Structures are given as C-alpha cells and as structure tokens.
Amino acid sequence: MTRTAPAGDIDMSPVSEDALSPLHLTADLTTENLHSVTLADTPLTWREIVKVARQGAKLHLCDSTWARIDNARAIVDHIVAQGERAYGISTGLGALSDVMLQGPQLAQLSRNTLLSHACGVGAPLTVEQTRAIMCAAVNNYAHGHSGISRSVVEALIALLNLDITPSVPSQGSVGYLTHMAHIGVALLGFGEVMWQGRPMLAMQALREVGMAPLELRAKDGLSLVNGTPCMTGLACLGLADAFNLAEWADIIGVMSFEALRGQIDAFDEVVLALKPHPGIQRVGANLRALLAGSEVIASSRGIRTQDAMSIRSIPQIHGACRDQLIHAERQINAELASATDNPLVMGTPENYRVLSQSNPHGESLAMAADLLCIAVAELAGVAERRLDRLINPLVSGLPAFLVSQPGVNSGMMIAQYVAASLVGENRHLAQPAVVDNFVTSALQEDHLSLGTGAALKLLKVIDNTTQVLAIEYLLAAQAFEFLKEQRFGVGTGSAWRLLREQVPPYDEDRWLAPDIESAARLVRKEPQLDSLRSGSLSR
C-alpha cells in the first residue's frame, strides 16, 4: 500500500545508496574467499585469523615464508652444534636459565616442557578458540625469528587443515604457556582432540590421518609454549564479534529510539559535526540512514524538549565504543606483525644474533582486550537502560510491559531483569585484568600481562551483550506492534520484519526463553545491510 508522507522535516524520499553507505560493516567477511588463507611476506591480519578459526579456511605458507622458518632453524642447529650457551636452546627455562644442557637433553627438554606446562584446568576452549590460537602461533613462527623446527609448523598446519582440534582447558594462563602446551602435547599423541564432530584420543586421531607423533628437537618445546598467540588468537575472535555487535547496537538502539518517539534533532549531522570523533560521525550517519522515511519520527517532532540521555546519546555512547574498537584493531594487528618468542634469532647461520628479551610479554594486547571488554560492556549497559524505558508506561507512552492486557499478562517484565543481571555481570568482568599482577618462576617472571584472562573475559562479555541486545531487539519489535499504523524507517522497519520471520508478536504471555535465543541467533550473524536497505529479508 502506498502511504502519503506526513508534513515535517524528515526526508521521506527513497534513500540513495550513497546515503546508506555508512552502514557498511568494518569487519565484513562475507564477500571474501572462504576457502584458503596464504601466509606470505606480510603477517596475517585479525580478519584472516578469524577466517581460518571460524570459517574453516585452509592455511598455506608460501615458499618465502618456509625459507624464513628454515633459516631461523639453521641458526638454532648451528648453536647446538657449537655447544654455545643460549637461553632455552642449550639451557633450562625460567629460573633454571643458568643450567647448561647438551646432546639428548635438548630434545628431552622440549618434550618435558610441553608435558610439564600442560597443566591447565577448567572447561575446554571452543573449537574456534583453539583454532584461532593455533593459527596465531603459525603466524608467529612465520616471521622467521623463533627457530622452531619446520616439522612442528607443518604439524600445526596439518591439524588446522584436517580440522583436528586439541582439547585445551580454558584456565591457567598468566599470558602464555599452558594453552599452547596442551596443543603441543596433542602433537605428541597425548590428551584428546575433537575430530569429525566427536572427541577422541589424540594418538588415535593422528593414526587415522596418517600422522606420526612429533619428534621434538632443541627449542621446539619452548617455541611452542612461548609468545602471545593465545591472547592474540582469542582477541581476534573478540574483535570480530565486537564489530558485529556495534553494528547491531546501532540498528536495535535506533529501533528503541523510534519506538519511544525520540527527537531527531539529537542526531542532526550539523550538531554531531561539532564533536568530531570518528565513531560519533559513523554512528550518526547509521542512525539517520536507518530512520530515513520514518513517519513515526516525523510525527513526533516537538512532543518533548529533549529525550533521556540513553536515547539521545546513542551517537556519543556507541561512537565512543566504536573508536575503542578501531584502537584495539591497530593493537591486535600490530601484535600479529610482532615476533613474540624468547629468545629470538636473527641473521644467518654464518652471522647471527640470539636475543633474550621480553617480546612474549603481552602488555599491549592485554590492554587492548581490556579496552574492548569495557567498550562492549558499555553497549550492553546503555541497551539495558533503553529497554527498561520501553516497558515502563510512565515514560514510554506504550502499554505496560508491552502487552495489551497487563495484569493477567506480565509481558516483558522479567526480560528486563535478565538484561539487568547480565549487565551487572559485565560490570565485574570489565574490571581491567592488566593492572593485576603476580610473581612466577621463582622471581624470574615478576610482571605479567594476564592478557589471556583479559581476552577470555572479553569473550564472556560478548556473550552477555549479545543476549542483552537480543532482549532489546525483542522489546523494540514488540513496541513497533503498537505503532505500525505509521511507516517506520527504511532500516528499522526492515529489522522489525526480519525478527518477525523468527518470532511472532506477543498477544499474551508465552515461554520467552526460546524467543530470546532466536533473537540472539540473529544478533550473532552479521546484519545483511543490503536487506535492510531494500526490505528484502531473505536469510
């Protein structure tokens, strides 16, 4: 049915592609080749880590990359042959760095390092989390400064490409060591792996694919457990999800704005230009594009002087969060461009240096993960404030708890409780991990980044925030049911119809948990922005 636009300043004309261009995802992976990733003369980016870890892309190394790995290994072999002292190559580890080893002891040290360090506890990481760590580890060795044996890197790539994933306990890392040790012992045939969708003994999986248990050499064990691949791989997944949630927060948040008949002047391009943070400009453009053509907004001009802060400050709050994601993205990609083993080797077997240093210290990555955690927690916090206003008839102008017969029906009352609970948990998790500290290895390691813990709690905050946004999505869509005599924005209307393909409106109370999960499944996917533009909602 054709509608006649009401009088007002909102542009009701068709929206051009250029006008909607700010809605493009920063982290869009949907148009990339999903089949393979080749690690050549530049390090992988976080997007490529996610592509291998989450989308099953095969990982390949080019000849020049293998040449770097082989050159570093030749330096280690030269040091061993000459009987020189070099930390972790011909000496013990940590506080035992002054103990010289030789001959068969060097290979035994590598094997013992994995066995003694594989002492993590707790529930296992997910398959994609472990794959991200493995991929980040291969990227680290590809810089050509670790000196790890080629056979170890080949074995890690084989596990990735054959989709054999070691079982890795999630707890026990102060930054590195335990997680990669559990991956390493699987290469020796110890522990369990996931393969073909089921757990099995690592030795059995290796046997079935024709891989022999790995024979380690000098420094291999240390290189396997060292560096920042654990926190980096996990942070890559967190960053991908954070970018996705930022997009959905704009879409869902502006649905709440429209349902509450917000005052559009707060999103005016001229006003927002006076606060020139890039994130604010991006969010403002998103919101204006999503609301284009809204009769609800046009007819609501002047009904109040200004809205509550959670409603009118969407550009400022979401924009600040987006700016932190861009900062974290730079830190994560810089970490992927870093050689984080200790010691590092440089030069050639004829002219080399062995450098004992602190590149495995993950301070930059830990701070980035903590910052991402805070930003994602803020997206949930303001979403809970918006959805609370939707169910409150004193401020919403809508039926109490968004049902037609409140009293006999509780409606969305307890859904807000759930959101508040998740936001409360996020507040605890958003406390920075990096500022805590411990002393380990008999005073040898007396400052720790705790970056892996920071990345793991980021992933938990992402899960919580996904649920909070899913609840807001349900509530905003239900609010639209009471306003649908007027046309919604081109983007908000599309988002409403998208949810309605999965979740029907609420006429009376029903089991809400499955509906929240249905909304959460949508929020976990990247929004199909072309569908929002055109109104075509095929999934």
Side-chain angles (χ1 to χ4, degrees):
M1 182 176 70
T2 303
R3 297 179 185 268
T4 303
D9 300 6
I10 296 281
D11 181 11
M12 299 297 175
S13 60
V15 183
S16 70
E17 197 75 17
D18 289 343
L20 286 169
S21 61
L23 291 176
H24 280 297
L25 277 171
T26 304
D28 187 11
L29 302 172
T30 58
T31 59
E32 295 183 20
N33 182 341
L34 299 182
H35 299 301
S36 66
V37 166
T38 299
L39 208 172
D41 293 330
T42 56
L44 298 180
T45 66
W46 69 267
R47 289 181 175 86
E48 291 167 313
I49 299 289
V50 171
K51 191 174 171 183
V52 172
R54 182 170 284 170
Q55 301 168 9
K58 307 298 184 186
L59 180 63
H60 304 285
L61 272 57
C62 70
D63 290 343
S64 60
T65 305
W66 284 118
R68 291 195 300 271
I69 292 171
D70 291 341
N71 177 72
R73 182 66 216 182
I75 295 173
V76 171
D77 288 342
H78 179 83
I79 292 169
V80 170
Q82 296 299 312
E84 298 178 16
R85 176 187 291 271
Y87 172 71
I89 299 175
S90 56
T91 75
L93 306 180
L96 303 176
S97 59
D98 291 329
V99 178
M100 279 290 292
L101 305 172
Q102 58 187 350
Q105 291 179 314
L106 302 180
Q108 188 65 38
L109 171 63
S110 283
R111 181 181 176 86
N112 288 350
T113 297
L114 296 184
L115 294 173
S116 65
H117 287 48
C119 55
V121 299
L125 298 177
T126 65
V127 166
E128 70 173 35
Q129 288 166 359
T130 301
R131 286 176 59 83
I133 294 169
M134 294 164 65
C135 188
V138 172
N139 176 77
N140 187 36
Y141 307 139
H143 292 299
H145 297 295
S146 287
I148 196 169
S149 297
R150 181 186 183 117
S151 59
V152 179
V153 183
E154 289 173 336
L156 286 170
I157 294 172
L159 292 190
L160 283 169
N161 291 346
L162 292 168
D163 201 22
I164 298 173
T165 307
S167 179
V168 179
S170 57
Q171 295 173 282
S173 174
V174 294
Y176 45 24
L177 302 178
T178 56
H179 292 73
M180 278 302 299
H182 281 275
I183 292 169
V185 296
L187 296 175
L188 303 181
F190 292 96
E192 286 193 344
V193 298
M194 287 293 295
W195 188 45
Q196 298 180 334
R198 60 192 177 95
M200 68 170 57
L201 293 176
M203 186 66 80
Q204 179 185 350
L206 294 178
R207 187 182 300 117
E208 291 195 19
V209 299
M211 289 177 64
L214 203 60
E215 294 289 338
L216 299 177
R217 298 159 64 192
K219 198 178 184 290
D220 287 342
L222 177 59
S223 290
L224 273 168
V225 302
N226 220 343
T228 62
C230 184
M231 65 181 80
T232 305
L234 296 174
C236 289
L237 296 175
L239 183 63
D241 292 336
F243 273 124
N244 184 57
L245 288 177
E247 293 292 340
W248 273 112
D250 287 358
I251 295 165
I252 295 168
V254 83
M255 286 179 68
S256 294
F257 177 91
E258 189 171 20
L260 293 166
R261 295 180 289 281
Q263 300 304 293
I264 194 65
D265 284 350
F267 302 162
D268 189 280
E269 186 173 6
V270 174
V271 170
L272 296 183
L274 297 176
K275 193 164 185 175
H277 295 277
I280 293 177
Q281 308 312 307
R282 168 72 182 272
V283 173
N286 279 1
L287 304 184
R288 292 190 298 271
L290 289 161
L291 288 172
S294 171
E295 294 177 355
V296 175
I297 293 299
S299 65
S300 300
R301 279 191 179 274
I303 64 170
R304 67 182 71 88
T305 303
Q306 68 177 16
D307 296 304
M309 194 68 78
S310 61
I311 303 303
R312 61 185 156 101
S313 297
I314 296 175
Q316 290 78 9
I317 299 170
H318 290 194
C321 294
R322 282 178 177 269
D323 286 340
Q324 309 322 306
L325 304 193
I326 297 301
H327 171 74
E329 178 181 39
R330 288 194 295 267
Q331 298 299 308
I332 292 169
N333 279 338
E335 197 71 21
L336 288 167
S338 305
T340 64
D341 205 340
N342 179 42
L344 296 171
V345 297
M346 300 182 68
T348 67
E350 296 76 29
N351 183 21
Y352 62 86
R353 298 176 67 193
V354 180
L355 303 171
S356 183
Q357 33 60 52
S358 292
N359 278 12
H361 197 298
E363 192 82 355
S364 296
L365 209 292
M367 287 186 179
D370 276 337
L371 189 60
L372 280 173
C373 197
I374 292 169
V376 175
E378 278 294 275
L379 291 177
V382 70
E384 187 278 329
R385 290 292 79 213
R386 291 189 300 257
L387 67 87
D388 179 65
R389 298 186 74 83
L390 286 171
I391 62 172
N392 186 343
L394 299 178
V395 294
S396 70
L398 298 164
F401 306 111
L402 300 175
V403 285
S404 298
Q405 300 179 56
V408 65
N409 293 303
S410 296
M412 305 297 179
M413 179 191 298
I414 307 304
Q416 184 267 330
Y417 284 45
V418 176
S421 171
L422 295 170
V423 168
E425 184 176 5
N426 279 358
R427 288 172 182 163
H428 293 289
L429 292 168
Q431 298 302 310
V434 74
V435 298
D436 210 340
N437 202 17
F438 300 93
V439 177
T440 58
S441 194
L443 298 179
Q444 184 69 11
E445 297 186 5
D446 58 354
H447 190 279
L448 307 165
S449 73
L450 302 177
T452 298
L456 286 169
K457 67 186 183 69
L458 163 64
L459 298 176
K460 178 59 177 173
V461 167
I462 284 168
D463 286 343
N464 289 347
T465 300
T466 299
Q467 299 291 345
V468 173
L469 288 174
I471 291 170
E472 185 185 9
Y473 197 1
L474 285 179
L475 270 58
Q478 180 64 13
F480 274 28
E481 299 297 328
F482 300 101
L483 302 168
K484 60 187 178 184
E485 293 304 312
Q486 292 182 297
R487 185 172 63 201
F488 300 116
V490 61
T492 53
S494 292
W496 172 51
R497 291 187 292 274
L498 175 62
L499 183 65
R500 283 291 169 257
E501 291 181 356
Q502 307 295 323
V503 179
Y506 294 85
D507 297 322
E508 59 183 5
D509 282 350
R510 65 169 186 262
W511 189 21
L512 270 175
D515 294 339
I516 294 173
E517 181 51 36
S518 294
R521 280 196 297 270
L522 289 176
V523 174
R524 290 187 189 104
K525 299 178 182 178
E526 294 172 357
Q528 291 190 355
L529 298 173
D530 289 341
S531 297
L532 293 180
R533 296 186 188 102
S534 66
S536 173
L537 299 175
S538 63
R539 277 271 159 179

